[in-house]
C-alpha cells in the first residue's frame, strides 16, 4: 500500500550500498552502515528547501501575531468570522500552513519507509524491493562490532551481550543528542509569557528536553541496530543544522529547526 514510499527509500539505500560495496566489498558490514548513514544525510539534504520554507513560515507567523490578536479582539465570540478573517490574513501574507509541517512530514515518511525496508530483510527472501537475494543475505550477515544490523536487544537471545554492547551506546548517544539539541533550542527562546500560552511552551520545552530523550531509551530495545544508527545520524544532522541556522539567520531562528 505504501510502495510509493518504500521503493524510493530502498532505491537510495541501494545506491549508497552499491557505491560503498564497490570499495569495501559486497559482504562488508561497514558498507551497510555507511549506506544507512548516507541515506539519512541524502534525504535530510533533500528536505533543506522545505526546511527553509518552514523557517520563513515561522517568521511570517510571528509577524502576524499582532494582527491575529486584533482579529480575535474584533470578532470576540464569533468563531466563524475569526476563521474567515484569519484565512484572509494568511492569504494576504502569503502564509501556507502546510509549509510549517513539510519537514516533519518528510522525516516521518522517511522513517516509516526505512523501518519497513530494513525489517523486510528476512531469511529466505529472494528480494526486498530493489534488493536481490544476494543483497538481502548480505544485509542479514552485516555486523557492526560483531552485532548484526538487523538484531534488537529484545530478540538478541544468546547474543544479548554482543548486541547490548552496540545497541546501548547508540541508544544513549541518541538520547543525549536529542536532549542537547532541544536544550540549545530552548536556550535561544525568549522567556515564555505568563498565562496559558506560556504554560504550553514550558510543557513542550520539558517534553522535548526530557520526555523525548527518554523515549529513545524506552523504544531502543525493540529497534534494530540499523534503526538506532538512523536515530543517531538524524539527531547529529539536526544538532549541526541548528547551529548552522543560528550562525546564518540568527539565534532566534534556530529554535524552529527540526
Amino acid at each position: 500500500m505504501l510502495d510509493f514510499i518504500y521503493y524510493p527509500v530502498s532505491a537510495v539505500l541501494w545506491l549508497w550500498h552499491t557505491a560503498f560495496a564497490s570499495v569495501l566489498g559486497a559482504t562488508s558490514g561497514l558498507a551497510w552502515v555507511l549506506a544507512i548513514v548516507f541515506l539519512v544525510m541524502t534525504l535530510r539534504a533533500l528536505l533543506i528547501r522545505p526546511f527553509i520554507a518552514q523557517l520563513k513560515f515561522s517568521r511570517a507567523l510571528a509577524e502576524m501575531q499582532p494582527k491575529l490578536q486584533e482579529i480575535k479582539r474584533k470578532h470576540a465570540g464569533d468563531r466563524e468570522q475569526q476563521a474567515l478573517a484569519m484565512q484572509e490574513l494568511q492569504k494576504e501574507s502569503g502564509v501556507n500552513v502546510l509549509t510549517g509541517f513539510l519537514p516533519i512530514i518528510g522525516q516521518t515518511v522517511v522513517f516509516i519507509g526505512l523501518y519497513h525496508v530494513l525489517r523486510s530483510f528476512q531469511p529466505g527472501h529472494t528480494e526486498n524491493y530493489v534488493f536481490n537475494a544476494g543483497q538481502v543475505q548480505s544485509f542479514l550477515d552485516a555486523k557492526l562490532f560483531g552485532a548484526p544490523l538487523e538484531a534488537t536487544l529484545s530478540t538478541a537471545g544468546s547474543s544479548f551481550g554482543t548486541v547490548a554492547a552496540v545497541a546501548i551506546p547508540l541508544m544513549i548517544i541518541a538520547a543525549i543528542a536529542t536532549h542537547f539539541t532541544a536544550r540549545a533550542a530552548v536556550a535561544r527562546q525568549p522567556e515564555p509569557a505568563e498565562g496559558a500560552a506560556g504554560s504550553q511552551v514550558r510543557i513542550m520545552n520539558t517534553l522535548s528536553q526530557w520526555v523525548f530523550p527518554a523515549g529513545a531509551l524506552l523504544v531502543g530495545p525493540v529497534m534494530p541496530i540499523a534503526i538506532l544508527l538512523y536515530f543517531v545520524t538524524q539527531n547529529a544532522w539536526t544538532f549541526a543544522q541548528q547551529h548552522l541556522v543560528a550562525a546564518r539567520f540568527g539565534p532566534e531562528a534556530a529554535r524552529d529547526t527540526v
Side-chain angles (χ1 to χ4, degrees):
M1 185 172 66
L2 296 178
D3 283 355
F4 69 96
I5 296 175
Y6 303 146
Y7 273 102
V9 170
S10 63
V12 176
L13 183 63
W14 179 89
L15 285 171
W16 281 117
H17 176 257
T18 300
F20 288 116
S22 66
V23 177
L24 301 172
T27 60
S28 170
L30 181 59
W32 283 105
V33 170
L34 291 174
I36 293 168
V37 170
F38 276 77
L39 166 70
V40 177
M41 293 172 64
T42 300
L43 297 174
R44 284 302 300 266
L46 292 175
L47 289 172
I48 286 179
R49 292 193 67 174
F51 163 72
I52 293 174
Q54 181 205 36
L55 185 59
K56 292 179 178 178
F57 165 80
S58 299
R59 286 184 167 184
L61 200 60
E63 293 172 356
M64 286 169 50
Q65 286 306 309
K67 294 181 180 180
L68 290 173
Q69 294 302 321
E70 177 61 22
I71 289 173
K72 291 180 180 179
R73 184 196 63 78
K74 183 178 179 180
H75 301 289
D78 190 338
R79 292 184 178 274
E80 184 176 351
Q81 285 299 319
Q82 280 187 21
L84 290 173
M86 287 179 180
Q87 288 176 5
E88 186 63 27
L89 176 61
Q90 290 175 359
K91 185 177 180 181
E92 292 175 358
S93 303
V95 171
N96 184 348
V97 176
L98 180 60
T99 60
F101 295 95
L102 280 178
I104 297 174
I105 294 171
Q107 290 177 57
T108 302
V109 166
V110 169
F111 174 74
I112 291 172
L114 181 60
Y115 183 81
H116 178 80
V117 169
L118 292 179
R119 295 300 286 173
S120 296
F121 284 105
Q122 295 291 334
H125 282 197
T126 57
E127 61 181 22
N128 180 19
Y129 297 99
V130 302
F131 294 98
N132 59 36
Q135 291 166 323
V136 170
Q137 189 59 49
S138 172
F139 177 83
L140 294 174
D141 293 337
K143 293 179 173 60
L144 177 62
F145 300 119
L149 290 180
E150 48 88 23
T152 70
L153 269 178
S154 59
T155 59
S158 59
S159 301
F160 182 85
T162 302
V163 174
V166 177
I168 291 177
L170 289 175
M171 290 160 51
I172 293 173
I173 292 170
I176 291 174
T178 302
H179 169 75
F180 279 103
T181 300
R183 185 174 177 176
V186 170
R188 295 185 177 99
Q189 290 180 354
E191 187 67 25
E194 298 298 328
S199 297
Q200 291 176 357
V201 171
R202 292 185 183 91
I203 291 172
M204 285 306 301
N205 287 345
T206 300
L207 289 174
S208 63
Q209 289 185 90
W210 302 106
V211 178
F212 295 163
L217 299 176
L218 291 175
V219 303
V222 299
M223 291 294 176
I225 286 176
I227 291 294
L228 294 178
L229 278 171
Y230 162 87
F231 282 136
V232 170
T233 308
Q234 175 89 343
N235 289 334
W237 179 284
T238 301
F239 187 79
Q241 177 176 271
Q242 186 183 69
H243 287 275
L244 289 173
V245 168
R248 176 66 179 82
F249 296 100
E252 69 280 358
R255 67 176 182 267
D256 296 319
T257 58
V258 183

